[in-house]
Amino acid sequence: MRPSSSSCPLPPPPTCSSRLPQLRCFVGLRWSAPRVQVRGQLDAFAGIGSGARGCGARFRAPASSASQPCYSSTVIRNDNSQNADFPRNYSKREKKPFPIPVLELRRRARQRMKEAEGKPRGPPPPPKNGLLVQRLIPEAYRVYNARILLINNLKRLIKVVPVKGCKYCSEIHVGSVGHPFRTCRGMSSDKRKGEHDWGSTFVEAVFLPVEAYHLEDRLGPRIPHDQRFEVPRVPALVELCIQAGLDLPEYPTKRRRKPIVKIGRKEFVDANEDDLPDPEPDKFKEPILEEISDDEITPPSSPEETAALAEETLEVWETLRNGALRFMKRYSVRVCGYCPEVHIGASGHKARNCGAFKHQQRNGQHGWQAAVLDDLIPPRYVWHMPESGELQKELKIFYGQAPAVVEICIQGGAQVPEKYKATMRLDIGIPSSLKEAEMVV
């Protein structure tokens, strides 16, 4: 049979080398790009969208289809994740990871040495030269007052929003009835099969008191082991505020008005300040709040007052964490990699009071490393109560968590902040029964 001639000859059949890249691109498009986008691109490619028919359509192909992608896909990014995993609970038998890996720290050190090669070394900036960062002094007073106000507000909110604590372990729950999850690891937990024995609790279980040694001179020598009982202990956040510029009469500290004079790598002497005029006593000083005793606590009288108090507490909580994070960027904060001991200063103390895993091999010495914000202000995550008002142990994977302070404020009537919605898993539908949960893929 004689083949029919046409004005539009058919293209030759594709070979294996030219066909595979096209199939690979098409498969990628089918799963990565939206269906409407794929259809529009295919129509434009075949000439259908322009109204062309038959062989009158002009077909243009790239020069090398094997090396160029067939179509471009649109990637939509969202900075706020819908759901996020809970913070990991590290075992007591492992060391905390460094906030920045050691290899990255070494790479940055080599880069700094390479950039500073052949250049004169300038004077160190504050606070490394002994002076205070002037713009952070008013912030130190605000953070200290925010801490006092947070404690006072939590004492009032706990009178209205019930908070339960286990009698045998450190776990807490915000609600009238404790959660049913068997996660207790306290005394005689094997006899109770991991069930918690819930009871009342205090503010110290919600806002954990992290203490540190108070330094009269933050650039002075390290605290030896023999003087560990002679140095007073204060809340770590208060000590950070004192080093940032807060003046408390009960905790005196040394203030320098001239930069230190270095005479060695780790040795320095104080500059002569006799020629300076007398300092102004009340230049940055602000009024300081006082903590209210438990006998003077008055609970909110109405739901509207409770909601307003919860909103104020949530704002104070964010002010506290944001201010502490700004301090930690300029002032050094150290934490032990094995236990929760915190030290405010460039070098940790020498007290050998670490009792964590394998402390005998370290002779009780701490493994100091850079601290993160959660080491200074532990958020203390608790289970978020759903709208139904009860938790079922079979549906544990569907529930979210939030910091204890945030959960108390939310149950008190405050709005849910955007930054905590990911771990609270508010967008996850909770099944009504175990049978419905088994159907979830």
Side-chain angles (χ1 to χ4, degrees):
M1 182 176 179
R2 187 177 180 179
S4 59
S5 60
S6 175
S7 60
C8 180
L10 297 176
T15 60
C16 182
S17 60
S18 63
R19 185 179 182 184
L20 286 180
Q22 296 178 0
L23 290 179
R24 193 178 299 116
C25 294
F26 180 77
V27 172
L29 259 178
R30 186 177 181 87
W31 293 102
S32 61
R35 184 176 300 177
V36 178
Q37 180 183 1
V38 174
R39 181 175 298 176
Q41 291 179 352
L42 290 178
D43 292 347
F45 184 81
I48 300 176
S50 60
R53 293 184 179 181
C55 299
R58 303 182 65 178
F59 180 81
R60 295 182 180 181
S64 59
S65 60
S67 61
Q68 298 181 0
C70 296
Y71 311 108
S72 61
S73 59
T74 304
V75 179
I76 301 176
R77 296 183 179 181
N78 186 13
D79 297 335
N80 299 327
S81 58
Q82 181 182 11
N83 299 304
D85 296 333
F86 306 143
R88 178 186 172 186
N89 294 326
Y90 295 97
S91 174
K92 296 182 180 180
R93 294 177 175 267
E94 60 179 336
K95 190 177 183 294
K96 301 174 187 176
F98 290 95
I100 303 176
V102 179
L103 296 179
E104 177 65 18
L105 293 176
R106 293 176 179 174
R107 187 194 66 80
R108 294 181 183 180
R110 290 194 297 267
Q111 183 68 19
R112 288 194 300 268
M113 293 177 61
K114 184 177 180 181
E115 294 177 355
E117 186 176 359
K119 298 181 181 178
R121 180 176 296 181
K128 294 183 179 180
N129 59 358
L131 303 181
L132 296 176
V133 183
Q134 298 296 322
R135 61 182 178 85
L136 293 181
I137 297 178
E139 187 72 18
Y141 284 89
R142 286 194 292 268
V143 172
Y144 180 80
N145 289 334
R147 176 184 175 274
I148 299 298
L149 186 58
L150 177 65
I151 296 176
N152 295 338
N153 290 356
L154 286 177
K155 289 181 179 180
R156 298 184 61 190
L157 283 175
I158 287 180
K159 299 290 184 179
V160 180
V161 181
V163 180
K164 300 296 181 180
C166 183
K167 299 179 181 179
Y168 298 98
C169 68
S170 60
E171 193 164 349
I172 62 175
H173 179 74
V174 182
S176 57
V177 181
H179 65 74
F181 308 133
R182 299 183 177 182
T183 55
C184 183
R185 297 295 181 268
M187 184 179 59
S188 305
S189 60
D190 53 345
K191 298 181 181 178
R192 292 177 281 107
K193 298 182 179 180
E195 293 185 356
H196 295 277
D197 190 359
W198 300 106
S200 59
T201 185
F202 304 97
V203 180
E204 288 77 9
V206 178
F207 186 63
L208 296 179
V210 179
E211 294 185 346
Y213 285 109
H214 170 61
L215 303 179
E216 294 185 1
D217 186 6
R218 58 184 178 87
L219 297 182
R222 301 171 64 181
I223 302 174
H225 178 71
D226 300 337
Q227 300 179 5
R228 63 188 185 279
F229 298 117
E230 301 176 5
V231 181
R233 301 272 292 184
V234 298
L237 188 58
V238 176
E239 175 63 21
L240 182 59
C241 294
I242 292 175
Q243 294 191 15
L246 174 67
D247 290 331
L248 295 179
E250 57 270 23
Y251 300 113
T253 182
K254 185 176 182 178
R255 305 295 187 192
R256 295 179 176 87
R257 295 188 292 166
K258 278 188 176 182
I260 59 176
V261 179
K262 281 201 169 187
I263 58 176
R265 184 177 180 183
K266 294 184 179 181
E267 298 180 359
F268 66 92
V269 293
D270 294 333
N272 188 10
E273 301 179 357
D274 296 339
D275 57 339
L276 296 178
D278 296 336
E280 300 179 8
D282 301 329
K283 184 178 180 180
F284 297 101
K285 193 172 183 180
E286 296 182 6
I288 297 176
L289 300 179
E290 295 183 359
E291 186 175 341
I292 303 176
S293 61
D294 297 339
D295 300 335
E296 301 176 357
I297 295 297
T298 57
S301 58
S302 63
E304 292 78 10
E305 186 180 354
T306 303
L309 183 63
E311 289 287 352
E312 181 186 5
T313 305
L314 202 56
E315 294 178 1
V316 170
W317 169 257
E318 295 299 330
T319 302
L320 187 70
R321 290 181 63 87
N322 294 336
L325 185 59
R326 283 192 289 269
F327 292 156
M328 295 178 67
K329 292 180 180 179
R330 301 302 300 269
Y331 295 89
S332 301
V333 180
R334 318 292 290 180
V335 67
C336 179
Y338 304 94
C339 70
E341 178 73 12
V342 174
H343 181 78
I344 312 299
S347 301
H349 58 77
K350 296 183 179 180
R352 299 188 297 269
N353 52 6
C354 182
F357 182 63
K358 290 186 177 180
H359 63 91
Q360 299 89 348
Q361 300 181 2
R362 293 177 280 109
N363 195 18
Q365 296 180 357
H366 296 280
W368 297 112
Q369 63 187 40
V372 295
L373 182 60
D374 290 346
D375 296 327
L376 184 65
I377 308 176
R380 196 68 191 277
Y381 278 82
V382 296
W383 293 101
H384 172 61
M385 293 295 294
E387 296 180 357
S388 60
E390 59 178 356
L391 298 173
Q392 302 181 21
K393 58 182 179 181
E394 294 85 4
L395 307 177
K396 183 179 179 181
I397 59 175
F398 297 96
Y399 300 127
Q401 292 185 0
V405 177
V406 178
E407 181 66 19
I408 291 175
C409 296
I410 291 174
Q411 294 192 20
Q415 297 293 331
V416 182
E418 287 290 337
K419 61 185 300 184
Y420 299 109
K421 288 184 178 180
T423 55
M424 295 173 67
R425 297 182 177 179
L426 300 179
D427 297 333
I428 292 182
I430 301 177
S432 58
S433 61
L434 181 60
K435 184 178 180 180
E436 184 179 352
E438 295 176 352
M439 300 171 61
V440 177
V441 179

